[in-house]
Amino acid sequence: MLCNVFAGYVCRSVKKIVSLDDHVALVCAGLKADARVLINKARIECQSYRLTVEDPVTVEYITRYIAGLQQKYTQSGGVRPFGLSTLIVGFDPHLGVPALYQTDPSGAFSAWKANATGRNSNSMREFLEKNFKETSGQETVKLAIRALLEVSYFLLSRFTFECICYKLPKHAWSSLALNLCFEAALTGA
């Protein structure tokens, strides 16, 4: 199981974690209108890749595509750059190896083992750098909850945190509202 944490306000009508394909998901922070455009283009590219190559898209390929789109909009006249940062997370379709990439509005992208985006992401990233260990399953979710509690404990009443999990046997994404898990984390469960 791969756990990707997004720290920020989650509006009831706006999804910040979306599925691009069966094995690839995207987390965004920034302008939601820009996110909808980028997500639609990425989903079409995933479908086009599958139809053309007859294989599912790799996480690195779709990351390069999204970063290329973001970069193209920084150079085109008459358009403004995309105002959002993304985390693209997924599994290699053939090996099942997890991958996590971050893209910036400038079009730069980088690979990560653990990362966060949105408000307080720098504090979250520092916590993850200090405490990250190669884990899986519930240990990964516990690390995510600990990071959220450590960095944003005083903001819990105003924020909802989401964690996206992918289970290999079922090959399905599930989004967990971590605010339901805080009580268990506080009691040590």
Side-chain angles (χ1 to χ4, degrees), residues 34-105:
D34 290 356
R36 282 192 295 272
V37 171
L38 200 63
I39 288 165
N40 287 338
K41 289 180 183 263
R43 284 179 172 163
I44 289 169
E45 183 62 23
C46 287
Q47 293 170 1
S48 175
Y49 187 93
R50 191 179 288 263
L51 287 171
T52 305
V53 181
E54 295 182 1
D55 275 333
V57 68
T58 63
V59 181
E60 183 179 359
Y61 175 84
I62 199 64
T63 300
R64 286 182 186 276
Y65 176 79
I66 291 169
L69 270 176
Q70 288 177 310
Q71 199 275 332
K72 184 171 79 173
Y73 275 73
T74 63
Q75 293 182 331
S76 300
V79 295
R80 63 172 177 74
F82 283 102
L84 73 147
S85 178
T86 65
L87 293 176
I88 297 107
V89 62
F91 286 84
D92 181 278
H94 304 293
L95 303 174
V97 177
L100 172 64
Y101 291 91
Q102 178 183 17
T103 68
D104 294 328

Side-chain angles (χ1 to χ4, degrees), residues 7 22 25 34 37 62 112 117 134 138 150 165 189:
D22 295 338
D34 290 356
V37 171
I62 199 64
W112 292 81
T117 190
E134 290 288 336
Q138 288 189 349
E150 185 77 24
C165 302

